[in-house]
Amino acid sequence: MKYNEIRKTFLNFFESKGHKIVPSASLIPNDPTLLFTVAGMVPWKGILQGTEPPFAPRVADVQKCIRAGGKHNDLDEVGFDGRHHTFFEMLGNWSFGDYFKESAIEYSWELLTKVLGLNPNKLRVTTYETDEESTEIWRKVSGKEAIRKDDKENWWSAGDTGPCGPCTEIFYDFGAGIENEDDRWVEIWNDVFMEYDRDANGNLLPLPKKNVDTGAGLERWAAVLQGKIDNYDTDLFVALMKAVEDLTGVKKTSENTSSFKVIADHLRAVGFAIADGVIPSNTDRGYVIRRILRRAMRHSQILGYKGPLLSKLYPTLITEMGEAYPELVHEEKHVVEIIQNEENSFTDLLQNGMKLLETEIQKINNNVLPGDVAFKLFDTYGFPLDLTQTILREKNIDVDVAGFEKSMNEQKERSRADTKGTRTLWESQKQLTGTDDSTKYKPDSEMHSKVLSILRNGEFVESADANDEVEIVLDKTNFYGTQGGQVGDSGELQKDGKTIMTVSEASRVDNIVIHKGTLTDTLNVGDSVLTLINTSLRQQTARAHTAAHLLQAALRQVLNEDVEQRGSKVSPDSVRFDFSFGRAMTTEEKQATEDLINKWISEDLPVSHEEMSLEKAKAKGAMALFGEKYGDTVKVITAGDVSCELCGGTHIYHTGEIMHAKINKEKSISSGIRRITMSVGTLAE
Ligand code: SER
């Protein structure tokens, strides 16, 4: 069975078992604890935890995943065996509080042995050491005696906290001739029984519902179904590696195979990640993608090839995978441009780094390159550590790897410290299931709310005093917490008719709204307060948000239809809008965009706010952010007949309320991405 057919067979099977089929979510997770979507369960974390309602009891999908640079990291293995990938596709079926162990095991067995026709004698199963129930089900369903495994093998979680549970795994026997047991018996499916939630202190709390999360690597299934031991010998990888041969003019041999594997693998990780909006950079996920890309370039250098590589191979990725993932096609221009820029800039860095390395080699007298020099090569010149090591090995020089790691960790700490804030503290408050903020679209409503939690100086307290800077969670609120690029409301909380707290900004952590500000008197958990948002700032933010929609519509008319939002920040009377476009806008284009927006403002177009099903919104032609996962019911904001977008932000009701729009600046923020800053309302006037 061909690689591309396996997806369809899997999804058809689960559709026939009553599962709703959904597309893959983005590789960029909506989860600050993860760099990438590392498993099919990542987009469903809220549903598994019970903080988001399930949109269907049974779901199946094929999820794009990257396991590099985090807890789940396969980067270093790629190229050295036939089973590891940085990017891979995970086939998954889900029960959100519906079926549990019995049906999950039955479905897996039926699909593998009946539909795909695998020989049951070639399969072996494992269960968690204390999971009698699954072990008994396996006996009944397959006649097999499961091998018992411990926490290390058969307990699954995406991160250190969050939903987790025991799992049962299915292994395929690649043949008695293979000496190494790990190569012979390969895991082809993992059924996780998500029953628990691990909190920040390591405690296991039962989840509100018992769920099933299964994951199977499409690449491994392809190997099994095509009778190949090595995933890279399956049709998809053969085609990608053939393209490498054609481009470089170098034939694949047993000596250079690992370079071919690395390049084919890294092409997928880099191509898919950039198509989903990752920009190579020096931090976080951008850093991982840059490393992967450079590692591929290093292997192209080993093959003796000098020109641009992945940017030239990207069209082959589209040929092979573009049908299943239209975003690859949609983003082609953008992705190729970004990869080209990276390739061009690393070519120079490689040369300059070599110069530094040669100077440093002269200074060495103990045959060890200091770790901080290796780190400088890595950090400033973009040399992956293994590149430096390979170059030095020829001269019998080692690298002080511990020193390198020390410098690296110091840098990581610095970047982590910048982003952490109080988020993780709030995430540990599992009793807070969510703030009811359903009145956030009605700024005039007065809400009587109850104080649920007070955070002061990194500690949760029962009571805080005047002048304390605190963060507060209420049972319900009409404050809009920062989300989707729109800054949160400011305002005040009142107790017994008097101001008790000035709120400088409301923010969000998952489903809870956090009111940040300073107390003017004592406040206790359990107190009743009145929430009052600053309605004039709210109005300024709302008109800026609607103006941002008009800006996108105008750019698409003036520049072209391909212009797409890449990020935004909407604050009172000001808009920052990032979009995909390959060059600077001309003065005329900027003027035409501004004129068009002001024309729509003067026409005072009605702005409608409607709730509807996602399907209906799509049928209506509403624009969505690419790669964003939306719920089943969405809000659609329509301005006259010029703009129609899915949006959870706050908006005005007539374009005339914007008063005026003025584009202040247009500049590049990274290759292929431009940024416009615009003022509206009284600020623009
Ligand atoms: N979450 C599990 C895994 O990634 C099963 O989907 O293996």
Side-chain angles (χ1 to χ4, degrees), residues 38-42 65 67 72 88 90-94 156-158 167 169 187 189-192 194 213-216:
V38 292
M41 56 75 68
V42 170
C65 299
R67 289 189 177 177
H72 296 272
F88 66 98
M90 188 178 275
L91 309 160
N93 57 290
W94 312 89
W156 204 91
S157 67
C167 59
E169 297 186 337
E187 180 204 328
W189 208 342
N190 182 12
D191 291 7
V192 184
M194 296 260 173
D213 150 22
T214 89

Side-chain angles (χ1 to χ4, degrees), residues 258-452:
S258 66
S259 292
F260 276 86
K261 286 181 176 176
V262 168
I263 294 169
D265 172 85
H266 291 10
L267 167 65
R268 298 208 309 166
V270 169
F272 272 92
I274 299 178
D276 270 357
V278 177
I279 307 281
S281 71
N282 281 331
T283 53
D284 298 331
R285 61 179 72 91
Y287 197 38
V288 177
I289 293 305
R290 175 166 281 170
R291 258 183 79 185
I292 295 179
L293 197 148
R294 291 182 178 178
R295 197 160 179 262
M297 287 181 73
R298 176 223 156 183
H299 282 273
S300 112
Q301 201 190 38
I302 292 176
L303 295 179
Y305 174 77
K306 290 214 177 59
L309 177 77
L310 297 189
S311 53
K312 286 238 155 49
L313 291 171
Y314 186 75
T316 311
L317 183 65
I318 290 187
T319 312
E320 296 303 318
M321 300 187 73
E323 196 187 322
Y325 296 99
E327 62 269 34
L328 292 179
V329 186
H330 195 260
E331 298 297 314
E332 177 170 9
K333 225 175 111 218
H334 167 75
V335 177
V336 169
E337 219 168 80
I338 293 209
I339 301 181
Q340 264 167 1
N341 278 336
E342 280 290 305
E343 289 178 334
N344 292 341
S345 62
F346 187 55
T347 309
D348 295 342
L349 286 168
L350 192 58
Q351 266 186 12
N352 296 337
M354 281 307 294
K355 278 189 208 136
L356 172 79
L357 187 54
E358 274 151 22
T359 322
E360 291 292 332
I361 287 174
Q362 305 305 319
K363 297 186 201 158
I364 293 177
N365 47 27
N366 59 353
N367 277 356
V368 180
L369 184 79
D372 58 340
V373 177
F375 184 71
K376 182 166 186 191
L377 280 166
F378 180 71
D379 196 39
T380 313
Y381 297 93
F383 278 42
L385 178 62
D386 58 350
L387 175 61
T388 308
Q389 286 172 317
T390 315
I391 299 165
L392 292 178
R393 205 169 296 138
E394 291 156 18
K395 304 185 192 317
N396 274 329
I397 300 171
D398 284 335
V399 176
D400 170 14
V401 177
F404 172 86
E405 277 165 3
K406 186 166 163 272
S407 307
M408 174 81 115
N409 286 336
E410 283 163 7
Q411 153 146 335
K412 276 197 191 139
E413 282 308 317
R414 282 194 297 276
S415 69
R416 220 177 273 138
D418 292 344
T419 53
K420 223 171 174 182
T422 56
R423 173 176 269 277
T424 40
L425 289 170
W426 283 112
E427 277 173 345
S428 69
Q429 296 293 291
K430 294 293 178 204
Q431 81 283 4
L432 299 174
T433 48
T435 312
D436 173 3
D437 64 349
S438 45
T439 53
K440 63 178 178 282
Y441 300 116
K442 304 190 191 88
D444 296 335
S445 54
E446 286 187 352
M447 305 273 302
H448 291 276
S449 309
K450 204 174 110 190
V451 177
L452 298 183

Side-chain angles (χ1 to χ4, degrees), residues 5-67:
E5 284 162 23
I6 300 173
R7 265 187 226 104
K8 292 181 198 146
T9 309
F10 178 87
L11 295 176
N12 288 345
F13 175 80
F14 281 103
E15 194 164 34
S16 80
K17 304 284 182 197
H19 290 61
K20 181 173 172 143
I21 308 304
V22 298
S24 173
S26 169
L27 281 165
I28 306 179
N30 198 356
D31 179 341
T33 64
L34 295 171
L35 283 178
F36 294 102
T37 301
V38 292
M41 56 75 68
V42 170
W44 312 128
K45 209 166 149 185
I47 300 180
L48 296 168
Q49 279 174 317
T51 55
E52 275 171 41
F55 56 93
R58 300 170 170 221
V59 172
D61 60 7
V62 181
Q63 175 62 49
K64 304 177 273 192
C65 299
I66 285 185
R67 289 189 177 177

Side-chain angles (χ1 to χ4, degrees), residues 64-89:
K64 304 177 273 192
C65 299
I66 285 185
R67 289 189 177 177
K71 174 183 176 211
H72 296 272
N73 185 5
D74 290 335
L75 180 59
D76 297 333
E77 325 264 357
V78 174
F80 298 104
D81 68 8
R83 305 276 161 64
H84 284 91
H85 305 273
T86 50
F87 170 92
F88 66 98
E89 291 175 78

Side-chain angles (χ1 to χ4, degrees), residues 60-293:
D61 60 7
V62 181
Q63 175 62 49
K64 304 177 273 192
C65 299
I66 285 185
R67 289 189 177 177
K71 174 183 176 211
H72 296 272
N73 185 5
D74 290 335
L75 180 59
D76 297 333
E77 325 264 357
V78 174
F80 298 104
D81 68 8
R83 305 276 161 64
H84 284 91
H85 305 273
T86 50
F87 170 92
F88 66 98
E89 291 175 78
M90 188 178 275
L91 309 160
N93 57 290
W94 312 89
S95 154
F96 300 129
D98 190 39
Y99 61 85
F100 202 46
K101 295 181 180 176
E102 181 146 9
S103 296
I105 291 174
E106 278 170 6
Y107 291 153
S108 296
W109 191 249
E110 183 183 339
L111 177 54
L112 292 176
T113 60
K114 304 269 160 35
V115 180
L116 297 172
L118 298 188
N119 178 351
N121 295 333
K122 303 273 269 172
L123 300 171
R124 181 187 257 191
V125 298
T126 63
T127 52
Y128 185 58
E129 50 193 357
T130 57
D131 188 357
E132 298 301 335
E133 196 188 341
S134 299
T135 311
E136 186 50 40
I137 297 169
W138 273 118
R139 283 189 199 113
K140 209 178 79 199
V141 170
S142 69
K144 292 205 177 268
E145 191 57 37
I147 301 165
R148 302 302 191 88
K149 297 271 174 163
D150 61 7
D151 278 11
K152 218 175 111 242
E153 302 282 344
N154 278 38
W155 187 275
W156 204 91
S157 67
D160 295 334
T161 59
C164 56
C167 59
T168 173
E169 297 186 337
I170 306 170
F171 288 75
Y172 184 78
D173 182 3
F174 275 89
I178 302 172
E179 267 173 37
N180 182 337
E181 281 282 293
D182 287 347
D183 289 338
R184 174 173 172 183
W185 292 97
V186 176
E187 180 204 328
I188 57 166
W189 208 342
N190 182 12
D191 291 7
V192 184
F193 305 118
M194 296 260 173
E195 299 182 61
Y196 301 104
D197 202 356
R198 198 184 289 280
D199 71 13
N201 301 323
N203 302 316
L204 284 180
L205 311 168
L207 285 170
K209 286 183 182 161
K210 293 182 173 182
N211 310 288
V212 172
D213 150 22
T214 89
L218 174 50
E219 296 72 12
R220 292 181 180 185
W221 281 31
V224 170
L225 294 169
Q226 295 177 19
K228 306 287 183 199
I229 291 179
D230 190 319
N231 297 357
Y232 291 86
D233 286 336
T234 58
D235 62 321
L236 173 87
F237 286 98
V238 167
L240 297 181
M241 294 194 293
K242 167 83 174 43
V244 179
E245 283 190 335
D246 291 346
L247 176 67
T248 59
V250 180
K251 283 265 159 266
K252 182 158 98 57
T253 64
S254 53
E255 271 90 65
N256 62 20
T257 303
S258 66
S259 292
F260 276 86
K261 286 181 176 176
V262 168
I263 294 169
D265 172 85
H266 291 10
L267 167 65
R268 298 208 309 166
V270 169
F272 272 92
I274 299 178
D276 270 357
V278 177
I279 307 281
S281 71
N282 281 331
T283 53
D284 298 331
R285 61 179 72 91
Y287 197 38
V288 177
I289 293 305
R290 175 166 281 170
R291 258 183 79 185
I292 295 179
L293 197 148

